[in-house]
Each structure stands twice: as structure tokens, then as C-alpha cells.
Amino acid sequence: MKDLFDYCDFGDLKLNSRVIRTGLWESERESAGNFTPEIYTRYENIAASGVGLIITELFTFIARDAYSKYALTTNYTRFVREAKDLTEMVHIYGVPIFAQLGFVECNKRLEQNVSVNDLSVEDIRKIQTDFIIAAQKFDFAGFDGIQIAMGNSFFFSHFLNPSVNRREDNYGGNTLNRLRMILEIIKVLKQNTKLHINCRINAFDRDGLTVDEAIEIAKLLEKHGADSLQITCPHSQYVLTRDNAGEIPLVEAAERIIKEVDIPVIYGGGLNTQNKINEILNQTDIDFISMQRPFIADPSFLVEWQVSGNGESFCQTCHNCYAKKTSTCHLKPCSPEYYKKS
């Protein structure tokens, strides 16, 4: 019988639990991009809580992305030194840490929010080069891996969606071509770094990506060197609703993908109670659960869960931390009793 606090293997990594913390936005950085004491404190609380694996908030390597002001950046002189302090602190608690790397909008020169269809091959090479340079910085800083942000509505997800990607060259058309940009990045990273490569992908996108094609993407990623996957979907379609059969569609999609690959797969889908997580772990093939907002509401909530055995996050899924692009809970000043009454 599986339990979310099982010690377990994740590829070559050892985890203290099946809970994966995935970051969202980072609002507490200094103006120059530097880490602040609040960031280090938050990560130490998460690492000490019993989490299995930490995936950071988004790091961006695109300076002019409109969303870069809500993300940490790799583009300043002391980045590797400060990031190394972070990884060394997290590793004290026996917790591996991945850096989430990606961007939302592509801007070049005077052009803003450029479509994947309007990128030249030279533009693609520039993005790939900048991504690889950023990933090497994480390797130097002692990170155990990176997460390629190619799900939700991040820019790389546009390449994978056949209704968005209308290119007629080697980066458009069939599934392999639409994935080619990422596969080329993975090849270079596997040859030049020690990083575990995790890919965050959409299980479906009602605007064009089906579960069947997501399965094909997952299999290609595994074949070309990805070490693990995280399953998600666009935020506008985030699956907290249920279908007519009473099942959570994202759980079903994740299970279908898990059956087709031999690498670890993380499920991410709005869970915030200990009993529900254990129910999914024991009634499905899912072995790893990702959580975002509960860690924003309380970075140490897993400590209480280990004691109580039936914990429930007081995160109200109000989405303000996402909508306002912050790494802080907007209801946190209220006591836990407030949530029990509401």
C-alpha cells in the first residue's frame, strides 16, 4: 500500500516522500534579480517539511519576456554563487532540487509576443543556445536537474500544439517536428551536463492537443533522453471539475501516459488533502503528486500532515497567488480557524 510519505526512488534520485513541490511565480526577488533572505527561508522551510523533491519557481533566461518581472532570472553576475547557496542548503535535508526553466512570451528586437510561426531558424537557435547556457549555470550551481517548462501556456507549449504551430519546415507538421526544438536541447544537455531532465507537458489542450498525441510526445521525450515527466494542462482548463462519470480527467490522462513510458511521471492537478492524495496513489498507477498553492499558503504544512495523518491544506484555491503573480498567499494573515469556518 502506497503512502505519500514513502521513501522512494525517482530515477537515480532518492526521495523522502512522494510529494513534489512545484513553484509558481517569484515576487520576493531584489530589483536586480538577486535572491533575498525571504527566498532562502522559504526554501529551507519547504526542504525541512518532508517534501520529496523541490521544483523551483520559474526561472527565465529571456530578459524582455513580459512575465520576466514575476520570475527569477539567470542573467546577473552573482547568480551561480547565490544559487549554489540555495542548493547546498536544500541538500542538507536530503532533498533534491530542480530548476524550472522557460518563458511565456517571445520578444525580439522591436517585435513583441512573436508567434512560433514567425520565428526564423536563427531565432530558434538563439533560444536554444540561451536555454542551454542557463541550464549549464544550474549545473554549476549544484542543481540536481532542470524542468523544461513546456506545458501550461508557456512558450514551448505553442510549438507542441498542432492548432498553434503552423510551420512548414522541420519545426512544424508532425509530432516529431513540433517537438524537435526541445529534443535538440535535451541532446546537448545530456552530452554536456549531469542534470536530470524533467519535462512538464500538457496531457491535453482543448485548443488542439489530444491525450493520444501527448502520449506520443511522452514516448519521444523518453526515447531522446528525458529522465522524467510532469503532467499538467493549460491553466484556463485546469481540471478541478469532473466529467459525467465522476472521474478527474487529468488523472485518467496521466494514467494513460504512465502506462506508455518507463520513466517517472509526476501528476499535478490541484490536490490539497492527504486522504485524497493517498486515495489516488492507491487506486491508480500514479506514484508522485505535485503541489503548488499549498506550499504558498504554508511552506511547512507537510510537518503537520505527518503528525495528523489526515491533513488538509488551508489553501482556498482562490488563485490570487497565480492571478497576481506572487509567491505569497493573499489570505495568509487570517488564522487557520478562518478557513474551517468558511
Side-chain angles (χ1 to χ4, degrees), residues 143-277:
F143 280 79
D144 301 281
I146 62 165
Q147 179 179 86
I148 303 178
M150 47 194 288
N152 303 121
S153 299
F154 288 106
F155 188 78
F156 287 148
S157 71
H158 301 170
F159 267 93
L160 304 184
N161 192 324
S163 69
V164 177
N165 185 343
R166 303 290 187 178
R167 299 179 67 97
E168 296 181 355
D169 60 4
N170 288 337
Y171 295 93
N174 61 39
T175 306
L176 176 61
N177 278 356
R178 285 183 277 113
L179 193 57
R180 187 180 302 276
M181 182 182 187
I182 300 298
L183 300 182
E184 291 172 344
I185 289 174
I186 292 174
K187 180 179 179 179
V188 175
L189 292 181
K190 298 300 287 188
Q191 292 173 343
N192 294 280
T193 75
K194 304 180 296 296
L195 295 167
H196 178 116
I197 308 298
N198 173 272
C199 295
R200 183 173 179 172
I201 65 172
N202 290 329
F204 50 78
D205 185 336
R206 292 175 188 138
D207 293 329
L209 184 73
T210 66
V211 178
D212 288 338
E213 189 154 27
I215 290 171
E216 186 177 354
I217 289 170
K219 293 167 71 173
L220 284 168
L221 288 169
E222 178 185 24
K223 178 180 177 180
H224 288 83
D227 298 296
S228 63
L229 305 172
Q230 181 173 349
I231 306 304
T232 186
C233 66
H235 282 296
S236 60
Q237 302 168 23
Y238 219 78
V239 185
L240 297 177
T241 57
R242 298 175 181 271
D243 63 17
N244 293 332
E247 299 297 325
I248 303 176
L250 190 57
V251 170
E252 180 183 347
E255 276 206 282
R256 289 185 58 191
I257 293 171
I258 288 168
K259 294 179 186 298
E260 297 292 336
V261 297
D262 293 320
I263 54 177
V265 176
I266 305 166
Y267 169 80
L271 300 172
N272 63 0
T273 69
Q274 189 170 356
N275 289 337
K276 184 60 179 179
I277 290 173

Side-chain angles (χ1 to χ4, degrees), residues 2-22 50-55 96 98 147 196 198 227-232 238 250-251 253-255 257-258 261-271 273 276-292 295 302:
K2 292 184 286 186
D3 184 82
L4 70 125
F5 288 112
D6 289 337
Y7 290 97
C8 51
D9 294 331
F10 187 86
D12 294 334
L13 300 172
K14 303 291 184 182
L15 305 191
N16 294 327
S17 73
R18 299 181 185 274
V19 178
I20 315 298
R21 181 272 194 172
T22 302
V51 72
L53 166 68
I54 292 175
I55 302 175
F98 293 177
Q147 179 179 86
H196 178 116
N198 173 272
D227 298 296
S228 63
L229 305 172
Q230 181 173 349
I231 306 304
T232 186
Y238 219 78
L250 190 57
V251 170
E255 276 206 282
I257 293 171
I258 288 168
V261 297
D262 293 320
I263 54 177
V265 176
I266 305 166
Y267 169 80
L271 300 172
T273 69
K276 184 60 179 179
I277 290 173
N278 279 329
E279 177 184 322
I280 288 178
L281 288 173
N282 286 287
Q283 294 183 3
T284 72
D285 294 321
I286 293 170
D287 289 328
F288 305 99
I289 298 289
S290 170
M291 304 177 80
Q292 286 182 334
F295 283 104
L302 288 177

Side-chain angles (χ1 to χ4, degrees), residues 20 50 76 140 281 301:
I20 315 298
Y76 65 93
F140 297 152
L281 288 173
F301 75 93

Side-chain angles (χ1 to χ4, degrees), residues 25 27 70 319-326 330:
W25 304 107
S27 62
Y70 310 119
H319 298 295
N320 275 313
C321 57
Y322 177 80
K324 298 180 185 299
K325 305 293 184 289
T326 69
H330 293 267

